[in-house]
Amino acid sequence: MRRLLLTLPLMFVPLMAAGQTVGINQSNNPAWLQPSPFQAQRPMQGSLLPQSQSSTAAEVQNGDTASLLSLNPLAGGTVSSSVVQYGVTPNVTAQAGVTQRSWATQPRIIGSEVGATYYAGRYSLGVSVAQDQVPSAVPLPRVLPGAVTGVNGLPDFDSSTQVNARGRVALSGDSGLVLGASVGRIRLLPGNVMGLNTLDQKALTFGVDHGPITGSIVGRTMQPEPGVPSNYMDRRWNSIDLGVTWHLPWQGSLSFGAQNLWSSGNAVNTPAGPPEPDQSRTPYVQYHQDL
């Protein structure tokens, strides 16, 4: 299943290379996996629409309400994504996408997602299945002092699988409200500090977009897989993130916010790293420029 999710999007590559003619529907609904809703596009029935973009971890955290994994925004790096949309009917679009989170040092995090979106006037509703994994079975690097490049505060992240849902209500020509939810399971590398193999995760997000500005509040909870004996059987880690991104006219963007603005508690770090998911409050301001 994990390999299948990474392989499915590659099936669309021959169609992209064949030079398919793309029909564009200039709807105000945002494209699936599109952090800047004011640039939204979706294909007409029977047409393919490939899209690609590069952004920062902070932009994805603030604007991408489909995949609700969280990376430390101070760890830097870029997120490159390629998405292919296909117009199944005038109101239904199928999507397949691949993302790659990269830093100056290895390893990377590679993700894939397949799903569909239904559009009905001012409303849209999408569902998808996503999978993320680290190609190399080593802990994620510490890029800056105190900034572990972990997923959901977990430097020993190995992979995850989640089911996502996302709905949007258009309030006007360039404004809307977004509600997202995610349920999934995170797998950790063997021999990690916590001594756990898997964690269950649930997340909810509420977002607002108005022209080039997007903002979101994400609530997240994690707990060990039920029925598996461990020292953390009764533990649950909760947190809330807040972020805003302003997409500037010159292909730049400014993101600011706070990761773990509220959390259920902060673990005391050890020389080997946090013994529990890192829930320390992390305010940030990031500027990203596309060249």
Side-chain angles (χ1 to χ4, degrees):
M1 180 64 180
R2 295 168 56 183
R3 300 298 179 189
L4 177 62
L5 285 172
L6 284 174
T7 305
L8 279 175
L10 301 180
M11 297 171 59
F12 290 89
V13 173
L15 294 176
M16 296 169 61
Q20 295 282 342
T21 301
V22 176
I24 305 298
N25 184 339
Q26 297 291 349
S27 168
N28 291 317
N29 291 314
W32 183 75
L33 279 180
Q34 174 62 270
S36 50
F38 69 101
Q39 296 176 340
Q41 293 178 343
R42 60 186 176 96
M44 296 177 62
Q45 182 176 357
S47 299
L48 280 175
L49 174 61
Q51 293 176 296
S52 62
Q53 65 179 28
S54 176
S55 56
T56 65
E59 284 183 275
V60 173
Q61 179 172 307
N62 297 345
D64 178 4
T65 53
S67 182
L68 293 176
L69 291 178
S70 175
L71 287 88
N72 191 319
L74 293 183
T78 58
V79 181
S80 302
S81 64
S82 297
V83 178
V84 176
Q85 300 185 80
Y86 178 75
V88 181
T89 71
N91 296 327
V92 177
T93 300
Q95 306 94 6
V98 176
T99 61
Q100 176 176 288
R101 295 168 170 87
S102 304
W103 295 270
T105 56
Q106 297 294 330
R108 302 183 306 268
I109 298 177
I110 298 177
S112 61
E113 192 158 7
V114 292
T117 303
Y118 173 74
Y119 299 91
R122 297 170 50 211
Y123 305 94
S124 64
L125 176 64
V127 293
S128 65
V129 178
Q131 197 266 339
D132 295 88
Q133 69 178 43
V134 178
S136 302
V138 296
L140 293 169
R142 185 184 295 271
V143 180
L144 296 173
V148 178
T149 311
V151 177
N152 290 21
L154 300 163
D156 294 308
F157 173 83
D158 177 39
S159 63
S160 68
T161 304
Q162 56 269 347
V163 177
N164 308 306
R166 181 183 189 276
R168 183 179 186 270
V169 179
L171 302 179
S172 63
D174 61 352
S175 301
L177 300 178
V178 177
L179 182 65
S182 175
V183 178
R185 179 159 291 177
I186 297 173
R187 286 165 286 276
L188 304 179
L189 293 172
N192 62 82
V193 178
M194 295 181 65
L196 295 172
N197 293 324
T198 58
L199 291 170
D200 289 340
Q201 174 189 252
K202 299 180 180 67
L204 287 174
T205 182
F206 174 77
V208 178
D209 58 73
H210 177 69
I213 299 176
T214 62
S216 65
I217 299 176
V218 180
R220 186 177 292 103
T221 181
M222 293 187 300
Q223 65 184 86
E225 181 182 0
V228 178
S230 72
N231 295 329
Y232 297 90
M233 285 185 60
D234 298 326
R235 290 299 307 271
R236 179 176 295 181
W237 297 275
N238 305 304
S239 63
I240 293 178
D241 301 338
L242 172 66
V244 176
T245 294
W246 178 21
H247 298 273
L248 303 168
W250 51 87
Q251 301 301 315
S253 60
L254 180 65
S255 301
F256 59 92
Q259 189 179 53
N260 296 323
L261 180 66
W262 174 88
S263 64
S264 57
N266 297 326
V268 178
N269 287 353
T270 68
E276 300 184 21
D278 186 5
Q279 291 188 292
S280 56
R281 183 181 297 112
T282 307
Y284 62 89
V285 177
Q286 281 191 358
Y287 176 78
H288 177 74
Q289 179 66 56
D290 290 326
L291 300 177

